[in-house]
Amino acid sequence: MPDTLATITQIKKTRTFILELVKDLSTEQLNKIPEGFNNNIIWHIAHLTATLQNLCYVRSGLPVSVEEKYVTPFLSGTKPVVFIGKEDITSIFDVLLTSIDRLAADYARGVFVAFDPWDKRYGMKLNSIEDAVNFVPFHEGMHLGYMMALKKLVSPEKFKHILPVSF
């Protein structure tokens, strides 16, 4: 089994890449939901934090390690219901990284002693905190793909040279 702390470090690198990917987008672009999509880029970013909290903390019978406002509105099955302003976007970006640091510290301290097994819809069985952490890169990679597609749609001027159609 892969080293869990090394996996957590890799998750943080992916999250840092995501923030780099979206740093040039405006508040409006981060909130835009293109036709054919249910969510926007900022929802996907916040969803990563919410999912990690649900997978690791809630499934372990622990309280979430972030404010509730970063969890429930962004769980699977939800959609954006309000425009998220610049200040809240900055907080969501910050929590994306600090929550992974907290996970690493909590894992190293051994706080995850119980885990409620879960069969994910992707055919994966999560039976331990280690399984949950190992699932996170798959989940985050999937959402990174959505964010990359959304970025092309909300900022086509940055992608004119690679898109086959003009906007």
PDB file of all heavy atoms in Angstrom, residues 8-38:
ATOM      1  N   ILE A   8      -0.816  12.134   0.642  1.00  0.00           N
ATOM      2  CA  ILE A   8      -1.341  13.433   1.068  1.00  0.00           C
ATOM      3  C   ILE A   8      -0.487  14.562   0.489  1.00  0.00           C
ATOM      4  O   ILE A   8      -1.019  15.581   0.030  1.00  0.00           O
ATOM      5  CB  ILE A   8      -1.445  13.503   2.603  1.00  0.00           C
ATOM      6  CG1 ILE A   8      -2.506  12.511   3.107  1.00  0.00           C
ATOM      7  CG2 ILE A   8      -1.772  14.924   3.072  1.00  0.00           C
ATOM      8  CD1 ILE A   8      -2.539  12.322   4.625  1.00  0.00           C
ATOM      9  N   THR A   9       0.814  14.382   0.477  1.00  0.00           N
ATOM     10  CA  THR A   9       1.707  15.377  -0.123  1.00  0.00           C
ATOM     11  C   THR A   9       1.399  15.545  -1.609  1.00  0.00           C
ATOM     12  O   THR A   9       1.368  16.665  -2.131  1.00  0.00           O
ATOM     13  CB  THR A   9       3.178  14.977   0.087  1.00  0.00           C
ATOM     14  OG1 THR A   9       3.439  14.933   1.495  1.00  0.00           O
ATOM     15  CG2 THR A   9       4.126  15.955  -0.583  1.00  0.00           C
ATOM     16  N   GLN A  10       1.156  14.441  -2.293  1.00  0.00           N
ATOM     17  CA  GLN A  10       0.823  14.508  -3.724  1.00  0.00           C
ATOM     18  C   GLN A  10      -0.509  15.230  -3.941  1.00  0.00           C
ATOM     19  O   GLN A  10      -0.656  15.998  -4.897  1.00  0.00           O
ATOM     20  CB  GLN A  10       0.780  13.106  -4.333  1.00  0.00           C
ATOM     21  CG  GLN A  10       0.637  13.139  -5.844  1.00  0.00           C
ATOM     22  CD  GLN A  10       1.764  13.901  -6.514  1.00  0.00           C
ATOM     23  OE1 GLN A  10       2.929  13.697  -6.232  1.00  0.00           O
ATOM     24  NE2 GLN A  10       1.423  14.808  -7.418  1.00  0.00           N
ATOM     25  N   ILE A  11      -1.475  14.992  -3.076  1.00  0.00           N
ATOM     26  CA  ILE A  11      -2.764  15.687  -3.170  1.00  0.00           C
ATOM     27  C   ILE A  11      -2.552  17.193  -3.044  1.00  0.00           C
ATOM     28  O   ILE A  11      -3.143  17.979  -3.799  1.00  0.00           O
ATOM     29  CB  ILE A  11      -3.745  15.171  -2.091  1.00  0.00           C
ATOM     30  CG1 ILE A  11      -4.101  13.696  -2.339  1.00  0.00           C
ATOM     31  CG2 ILE A  11      -5.016  16.039  -2.050  1.00  0.00           C
ATOM     32  CD1 ILE A  11      -4.765  13.010  -1.156  1.00  0.00           C
ATOM     33  N   LYS A  12      -1.688  17.603  -2.125  1.00  0.00           N
ATOM     34  CA  LYS A  12      -1.424  19.037  -1.981  1.00  0.00           C
ATOM     35  C   LYS A  12      -0.789  19.596  -3.247  1.00  0.00           C
ATOM     36  O   LYS A  12      -1.116  20.717  -3.666  1.00  0.00           O
ATOM     37  CB  LYS A  12      -0.543  19.318  -0.763  1.00  0.00           C
ATOM     38  CG  LYS A  12      -0.370  20.819  -0.551  1.00  0.00           C
ATOM     39  CD  LYS A  12       0.234  21.173   0.771  1.00  0.00           C
ATOM     40  CE  LYS A  12       0.292  22.695   0.919  1.00  0.00           C
ATOM     41  NZ  LYS A  12       0.880  23.093   2.178  1.00  0.00           N
ATOM     42  N   LYS A  13       0.100  18.842  -3.884  1.00  0.00           N
ATOM     43  CA  LYS A  13       0.708  19.313  -5.134  1.00  0.00           C
ATOM     44  C   LYS A  13      -0.351  19.480  -6.217  1.00  0.00           C
ATOM     45  O   LYS A  13      -0.322  20.449  -6.979  1.00  0.00           O
ATOM     46  CB  LYS A  13       1.800  18.348  -5.591  1.00  0.00           C
ATOM     47  CG  LYS A  13       3.044  18.395  -4.727  1.00  0.00           C
ATOM     48  CD  LYS A  13       4.079  17.392  -5.183  1.00  0.00           C
ATOM     49  CE  LYS A  13       5.268  17.405  -4.240  1.00  0.00           C
ATOM     50  NZ  LYS A  13       6.283  16.419  -4.597  1.00  0.00           N
ATOM     51  N   THR A  14      -1.291  18.559  -6.290  1.00  0.00           N
ATOM     52  CA  THR A  14      -2.377  18.671  -7.259  1.00  0.00           C
ATOM     53  C   THR A  14      -3.225  19.897  -6.960  1.00  0.00           C
ATOM     54  O   THR A  14      -3.594  20.652  -7.863  1.00  0.00           O
ATOM     55  CB  THR A  14      -3.250  17.405  -7.240  1.00  0.00           C
ATOM     56  OG1 THR A  14      -2.438  16.272  -7.558  1.00  0.00           O
ATOM     57  CG2 THR A  14      -4.406  17.507  -8.234  1.00  0.00           C
ATOM     58  N   ARG A  15      -3.519  20.123  -5.700  1.00  0.00           N
ATOM     59  CA  ARG A  15      -4.325  21.279  -5.309  1.00  0.00           C
ATOM     60  C   ARG A  15      -3.593  22.590  -5.615  1.00  0.00           C
ATOM     61  O   ARG A  15      -4.215  23.557  -6.047  1.00  0.00           O
ATOM     62  CB  ARG A  15      -4.714  21.199  -3.836  1.00  0.00           C
ATOM     63  CG  ARG A  15      -5.742  20.104  -3.584  1.00  0.00           C
ATOM     64  CD  ARG A  15      -6.134  19.989  -2.138  1.00  0.00           C
ATOM     65  NE  ARG A  15      -7.257  19.066  -2.006  1.00  0.00           N
ATOM     66  CZ  ARG A  15      -8.060  19.028  -0.972  1.00  0.00           C
ATOM     67  NH1 ARG A  15      -7.866  19.857   0.056  1.00  0.00           N
ATOM     68  NH2 ARG A  15      -9.069  18.184  -0.932  1.00  0.00           N
ATOM     69  N   THR A  16      -2.303  22.600  -5.427  1.00  0.00           N
ATOM     70  CA  THR A  16      -1.509  23.791  -5.773  1.00  0.00           C
ATOM     71  C   THR A  16      -1.562  24.027  -7.275  1.00  0.00           C
ATOM     72  O   THR A  16      -1.704  25.170  -7.735  1.00  0.00           O
ATOM     73  CB  THR A  16      -0.063  23.620  -5.277  1.00  0.00           C
ATOM     74  OG1 THR A  16      -0.085  23.435  -3.853  1.00  0.00           O
ATOM     75  CG2 THR A  16       0.789  24.833  -5.617  1.00  0.00           C
ATOM     76  N   PHE A  17      -1.499  22.959  -8.055  1.00  0.00           N
ATOM     77  CA  PHE A  17      -1.617  23.069  -9.507  1.00  0.00           C
ATOM     78  C   PHE A  17      -2.978  23.641  -9.896  1.00  0.00           C
ATOM     79  O   PHE A  17      -3.079  24.498 -10.784  1.00  0.00           O
ATOM     80  CB  PHE A  17      -1.407  21.704 -10.173  1.00  0.00           C
ATOM     81  CG  PHE A  17      -1.690  21.727 -11.651  1.00  0.00           C
ATOM     82  CD1 PHE A  17      -0.750  22.212 -12.544  1.00  0.00           C
ATOM     83  CD2 PHE A  17      -2.908  21.285 -12.137  1.00  0.00           C
ATOM     84  CE1 PHE A  17      -1.015  22.256 -13.903  1.00  0.00           C
ATOM     85  CE2 PHE A  17      -3.187  21.326 -13.499  1.00  0.00           C
ATOM     86  CZ  PHE A  17      -2.234  21.808 -14.384  1.00  0.00           C
ATOM     87  N   ILE A  18      -4.029  23.184  -9.247  1.00  0.00           N
ATOM     88  CA  ILE A  18      -5.384  23.679  -9.536  1.00  0.00           C
ATOM     89  C   ILE A  18      -5.462  25.181  -9.290  1.00  0.00           C
ATOM     90  O   ILE A  18      -5.993  25.926 -10.115  1.00  0.00           O
ATOM     91  CB  ILE A  18      -6.430  22.914  -8.702  1.00  0.00           C
ATOM     92  CG1 ILE A  18      -6.570  21.480  -9.233  1.00  0.00           C
ATOM     93  CG2 ILE A  18      -7.781  23.647  -8.697  1.00  0.00           C
ATOM     94  CD1 ILE A  18      -7.336  20.547  -8.329  1.00  0.00           C
ATOM     95  N   LEU A  19      -4.914  25.631  -8.177  1.00  0.00           N
ATOM     96  CA  LEU A  19      -4.949  27.063  -7.876  1.00  0.00           C
ATOM     97  C   LEU A  19      -4.142  27.857  -8.903  1.00  0.00           C
ATOM     98  O   LEU A  19      -4.525  28.971  -9.276  1.00  0.00           O
ATOM     99  CB  LEU A  19      -4.475  27.334  -6.453  1.00  0.00           C
ATOM    100  CG  LEU A  19      -5.374  26.753  -5.359  1.00  0.00           C
ATOM    101  CD1 LEU A  19      -4.804  27.055  -3.985  1.00  0.00           C
ATOM    102  CD2 LEU A  19      -6.802  27.271  -5.483  1.00  0.00           C
ATOM    103  N   GLU A  20      -3.052  27.301  -9.364  1.00  0.00           N
ATOM    104  CA  GLU A  20      -2.261  27.953 -10.417  1.00  0.00           C
ATOM    105  C   GLU A  20      -3.065  28.016 -11.718  1.00  0.00           C
ATOM    106  O   GLU A  20      -3.041  29.015 -12.432  1.00  0.00           O
ATOM    107  CB  GLU A  20      -0.949  27.187 -10.612  1.00  0.00           C
ATOM    108  CG  GLU A  20       0.010  27.820 -11.573  1.00  0.00           C
ATOM    109  CD  GLU A  20       0.601  29.137 -11.092  1.00  0.00           C
ATOM    110  OE1 GLU A  20       0.648  29.397  -9.881  1.00  0.00           O
ATOM    111  OE2 GLU A  20       1.010  29.923 -11.970  1.00  0.00           O
ATOM    112  N   LEU A  21      -3.795  26.962 -12.015  1.00  0.00           N
ATOM    113  CA  LEU A  21      -4.609  26.883 -13.223  1.00  0.00           C
ATOM    114  C   LEU A  21      -5.670  27.981 -13.282  1.00  0.00           C
ATOM    115  O   LEU A  21      -5.952  28.523 -14.344  1.00  0.00           O
ATOM    116  CB  LEU A  21      -5.290  25.508 -13.299  1.00  0.00           C
ATOM    117  CG  LEU A  21      -6.267  25.278 -14.452  1.00  0.00           C
ATOM    118  CD1 LEU A  21      -5.505  25.077 -15.755  1.00  0.00           C
ATOM    119  CD2 LEU A  21      -7.147  24.079 -14.144  1.00  0.00           C
ATOM    120  N   VAL A  22      -6.243  28.320 -12.129  1.00  0.00           N
ATOM    121  CA  VAL A  22      -7.377  29.260 -12.119  1.00  0.00           C
ATOM    122  C   VAL A  22      -7.011  30.660 -11.658  1.00  0.00           C
ATOM    123  O   VAL A  22      -7.878  31.530 -11.600  1.00  0.00           O
ATOM    124  CB  VAL A  22      -8.542  28.706 -11.260  1.00  0.00           C
ATOM    125  CG1 VAL A  22      -8.980  27.337 -11.772  1.00  0.00           C
ATOM    126  CG2 VAL A  22      -8.180  28.642  -9.785  1.00  0.00           C
ATOM    127  N   LYS A  23      -5.755  30.909 -11.366  1.00  0.00           N
ATOM    128  CA  LYS A  23      -5.366  32.185 -10.768  1.00  0.00           C
ATOM    129  C   LYS A  23      -5.666  33.385 -11.652  1.00  0.00           C
ATOM    130  O   LYS A  23      -5.861  34.494 -11.156  1.00  0.00           O
ATOM    131  CB  LYS A  23      -3.906  32.177 -10.352  1.00  0.00           C
ATOM    132  CG  LYS A  23      -2.930  32.276 -11.508  1.00  0.00           C
ATOM    133  CD  LYS A  23      -1.494  32.308 -11.039  1.00  0.00           C
ATOM    134  CE  LYS A  23      -0.569  32.482 -12.224  1.00  0.00           C
ATOM    135  NZ  LYS A  23       0.811  32.476 -11.818  1.00  0.00           N
ATOM    136  N   ASP A  24      -5.717  33.186 -12.962  1.00  0.00           N
ATOM    137  CA  ASP A  24      -5.957  34.306 -13.869  1.00  0.00           C
ATOM    138  C   ASP A  24      -7.438  34.519 -14.197  1.00  0.00           C
ATOM    139  O   ASP A  24      -7.777  35.381 -14.989  1.00  0.00           O
ATOM    140  CB  ASP A  24      -5.156  34.109 -15.162  1.00  0.00           C
ATOM    141  CG  ASP A  24      -5.542  32.847 -15.910  1.00  0.00           C
ATOM    142  OD1 ASP A  24      -6.085  31.907 -15.289  1.00  0.00           O
ATOM    143  OD2 ASP A  24      -5.292  32.785 -17.131  1.00  0.00           O
ATOM    144  N   LEU A  25      -8.321  33.759 -13.580  1.00  0.00           N
ATOM    145  CA  LEU A  25      -9.753  33.892 -13.846  1.00  0.00           C
ATOM    146  C   LEU A  25     -10.384  34.929 -12.929  1.00  0.00           C
ATOM    147  O   LEU A  25     -10.017  35.046 -11.767  1.00  0.00           O
ATOM    148  CB  LEU A  25     -10.461  32.547 -13.678  1.00  0.00           C
ATOM    149  CG  LEU A  25     -10.021  31.438 -14.629  1.00  0.00           C
ATOM    150  CD1 LEU A  25     -10.758  30.150 -14.318  1.00  0.00           C
ATOM    151  CD2 LEU A  25     -10.233  31.849 -16.077  1.00  0.00           C
ATOM    152  N   SER A  26     -11.353  35.629 -13.458  1.00  0.00           N
ATOM    153  CA  SER A  26     -12.082  36.619 -12.667  1.00  0.00           C
ATOM    154  C   SER A  26     -13.112  35.926 -11.780  1.00  0.00           C
ATOM    155  O   SER A  26     -13.424  34.736 -11.957  1.00  0.00           O
ATOM    156  CB  SER A  26     -12.803  37.594 -13.599  1.00  0.00           C
ATOM    157  OG  SER A  26     -13.855  36.921 -14.285  1.00  0.00           O
ATOM    158  N   THR A  27     -13.637  36.682 -10.846  1.00  0.00           N
ATOM    159  CA  THR A  27     -14.699  36.177  -9.977  1.00  0.00           C
ATOM    160  C   THR A  27     -15.876  35.707 -10.822  1.00  0.00           C
ATOM    161  O   THR A  27     -16.470  34.657 -10.550  1.00  0.00           O
ATOM    162  CB  THR A  27     -15.130  37.276  -8.983  1.00  0.00           C
ATOM    163  OG1 THR A  27     -13.986  37.640  -8.208  1.00  0.00           O
ATOM    164  CG2 THR A  27     -16.244  36.810  -8.065  1.00  0.00           C
ATOM    165  N   GLU A  28     -16.216  36.469 -11.848  1.00  0.00           N
ATOM    166  CA  GLU A  28     -17.326  36.109 -12.725  1.00  0.00           C
ATOM    167  C   GLU A  28     -17.033  34.807 -13.475  1.00  0.00           C
ATOM    168  O   GLU A  28     -17.912  33.950 -13.606  1.00  0.00           O
ATOM    169  CB  GLU A  28     -17.607  37.244 -13.722  1.00  0.00           C
ATOM    170  CG  GLU A  28     -18.198  38.484 -13.103  1.00  0.00           C
ATOM    171  CD  GLU A  28     -17.209  39.311 -12.261  1.00  0.00           C
ATOM    172  OE1 GLU A  28     -15.964  39.208 -12.476  1.00  0.00           O
ATOM    173  OE2 GLU A  28     -17.680  40.037 -11.365  1.00  0.00           O
ATOM    174  N   GLN A  29     -15.810  34.654 -13.961  1.00  0.00           N
ATOM    175  CA  GLN A  29     -15.447  33.424 -14.674  1.00  0.00           C
ATOM    176  C   GLN A  29     -15.473  32.217 -13.740  1.00  0.00           C
ATOM    177  O   GLN A  29     -15.907  31.134 -14.135  1.00  0.00           O
ATOM    178  CB  GLN A  29     -14.078  33.571 -15.325  1.00  0.00           C
ATOM    179  CG  GLN A  29     -14.083  34.515 -16.514  1.00  0.00           C
ATOM    180  CD  GLN A  29     -12.688  34.831 -17.010  1.00  0.00           C
ATOM    181  OE1 GLN A  29     -11.772  35.071 -16.220  1.00  0.00           O
ATOM    182  NE2 GLN A  29     -12.514  34.829 -18.325  1.00  0.00           N
ATOM    183  N   LEU A  30     -15.017  32.378 -12.512  1.00  0.00           N
ATOM    184  CA  LEU A  30     -15.037  31.271 -11.551  1.00  0.00           C
ATOM    185  C   LEU A  30     -16.468  30.859 -11.208  1.00  0.00           C
ATOM    186  O   LEU A  30     -16.716  29.699 -10.870  1.00  0.00           O
ATOM    187  CB  LEU A  30     -14.296  31.664 -10.270  1.00  0.00           C
ATOM    188  CG  LEU A  30     -12.781  31.776 -10.411  1.00  0.00           C
ATOM    189  CD1 LEU A  30     -12.180  32.455  -9.189  1.00  0.00           C
ATOM    190  CD2 LEU A  30     -12.151  30.405 -10.635  1.00  0.00           C
ATOM    191  N   ASN A  31     -17.408  31.781 -11.296  1.00  0.00           N
ATOM    192  CA  ASN A  31     -18.811  31.520 -10.966  1.00  0.00           C
ATOM    193  C   ASN A  31     -19.664  31.117 -12.163  1.00  0.00           C
ATOM    194  O   ASN A  31     -20.793  30.658 -11.988  1.00  0.00           O
ATOM    195  CB  ASN A  31     -19.434  32.764 -10.324  1.00  0.00           C
ATOM    196  CG  ASN A  31     -19.136  32.866  -8.853  1.00  0.00           C
ATOM    197  OD1 ASN A  31     -19.802  32.262  -8.024  1.00  0.00           O
ATOM    198  ND2 ASN A  31     -18.110  33.644  -8.509  1.00  0.00           N
ATOM    199  N   LYS A  32     -19.162  31.286 -13.373  1.00  0.00           N
ATOM    200  CA  LYS A  32     -19.962  31.028 -14.565  1.00  0.00           C
ATOM    201  C   LYS A  32     -20.235  29.536 -14.737  1.00  0.00           C
ATOM    202  O   LYS A  32     -19.331  28.702 -14.628  1.00  0.00           O
ATOM    203  CB  LYS A  32     -19.264  31.577 -15.807  1.00  0.00           C
ATOM    204  CG  LYS A  32     -20.094  31.409 -17.057  1.00  0.00           C
ATOM    205  CD  LYS A  32     -19.470  32.081 -18.250  1.00  0.00           C
ATOM    206  CE  LYS A  32     -20.399  31.879 -19.444  1.00  0.00           C
ATOM    207  NZ  LYS A  32     -19.968  32.602 -20.607  1.00  0.00           N
ATOM    208  N   ILE A  33     -21.494  29.217 -15.040  1.00  0.00           N
ATOM    209  CA  ILE A  33     -21.896  27.841 -15.332  1.00  0.00           C
ATOM    210  C   ILE A  33     -22.242  27.785 -16.822  1.00  0.00           C
ATOM    211  O   ILE A  33     -23.306  28.247 -17.233  1.00  0.00           O
ATOM    212  CB  ILE A  33     -23.107  27.393 -14.482  1.00  0.00           C
ATOM    213  CG1 ILE A  33     -22.810  27.540 -12.988  1.00  0.00           C
ATOM    214  CG2 ILE A  33     -23.477  25.949 -14.820  1.00  0.00           C
ATOM    215  CD1 ILE A  33     -24.002  27.291 -12.090  1.00  0.00           C
ATOM    216  N   PRO A  34     -21.352  27.248 -17.638  1.00  0.00           N
ATOM    217  CA  PRO A  34     -21.629  27.174 -19.072  1.00  0.00           C
ATOM    218  C   PRO A  34     -22.798  26.229 -19.385  1.00  0.00           C
ATOM    219  O   PRO A  34     -23.085  25.304 -18.608  1.00  0.00           O
ATOM    220  CB  PRO A  34     -20.329  26.625 -19.665  1.00  0.00           C
ATOM    221  CG  PRO A  34     -19.281  26.882 -18.630  1.00  0.00           C
ATOM    222  CD  PRO A  34     -20.005  26.785 -17.318  1.00  0.00           C
ATOM    223  N   GLU A  35     -23.417  26.464 -20.508  1.00  0.00           N
ATOM    224  CA  GLU A  35     -24.510  25.603 -20.941  1.00  0.00           C
ATOM    225  C   GLU A  35     -24.032  24.156 -21.011  1.00  0.00           C
ATOM    226  O   GLU A  35     -22.926  23.870 -21.482  1.00  0.00           O
ATOM    227  CB  GLU A  35     -24.998  26.054 -22.318  1.00  0.00           C
ATOM    228  CG  GLU A  35     -26.243  25.333 -22.766  1.00  0.00           C
ATOM    229  CD  GLU A  35     -26.774  25.868 -24.079  1.00  0.00           C
ATOM    230  OE1 GLU A  35     -26.557  27.060 -24.379  1.00  0.00           O
ATOM    231  OE2 GLU A  35     -27.395  25.074 -24.804  1.00  0.00           O
ATOM    232  N   GLY A  36     -24.852  23.262 -20.486  1.00  0.00           N
ATOM    233  CA  GLY A  36     -24.509  21.847 -20.490  1.00  0.00           C
ATOM    234  C   GLY A  36     -23.799  21.375 -19.232  1.00  0.00           C
ATOM    235  O   GLY A  36     -23.569  20.188 -19.058  1.00  0.00           O
ATOM    236  N   PHE A  37     -23.442  22.318 -18.354  1.00  0.00           N
ATOM    237  CA  PHE A  37     -22.784  21.981 -17.094  1.00  0.00           C
ATOM    238  C   PHE A  37     -23.712  22.305 -15.925  1.00  0.00           C
ATOM    239  O   PHE A  37     -24.594  23.157 -16.042  1.00  0.00           O
ATOM    240  CB  PHE A  37     -21.468  22.761 -16.940  1.00  0.00           C
ATOM    241  CG  PHE A  37     -20.365  22.267 -17.834  1.00  0.00           C
ATOM    242  CD1 PHE A  37     -20.304  22.651 -19.172  1.00  0.00           C
ATOM    243  CD2 PHE A  37     -19.388  21.409 -17.356  1.00  0.00           C
ATOM    244  CE1 PHE A  37     -19.298  22.190 -20.012  1.00  0.00           C
ATOM    245  CE2 PHE A  37     -18.377  20.947 -18.181  1.00  0.00           C
ATOM    246  CZ  PHE A  37     -18.329  21.340 -19.512  1.00  0.00           C
ATOM    247  N   ASN A  38     -23.516  21.620 -14.808  1.00  0.00           N
ATOM    248  CA  ASN A  38     -24.317  21.865 -13.604  1.00  0.00           C
ATOM    249  C   ASN A  38     -23.592  22.717 -12.572  1.00  0.00           C
ATOM    250  O   ASN A  38     -24.213  23.206 -11.639  1.00  0.00           O
ATOM    251  CB  ASN A  38     -24.709  20.538 -12.931  1.00  0.00           C
ATOM    252  CG  ASN A  38     -25.645  19.735 -13.778  1.00  0.00           C
ATOM    253  OD1 ASN A  38     -26.529  20.270 -14.431  1.00  0.00           O
ATOM    254  ND2 ASN A  38     -25.451  18.428 -13.789  1.00  0.00           N
TER     255      ASN A  38
END
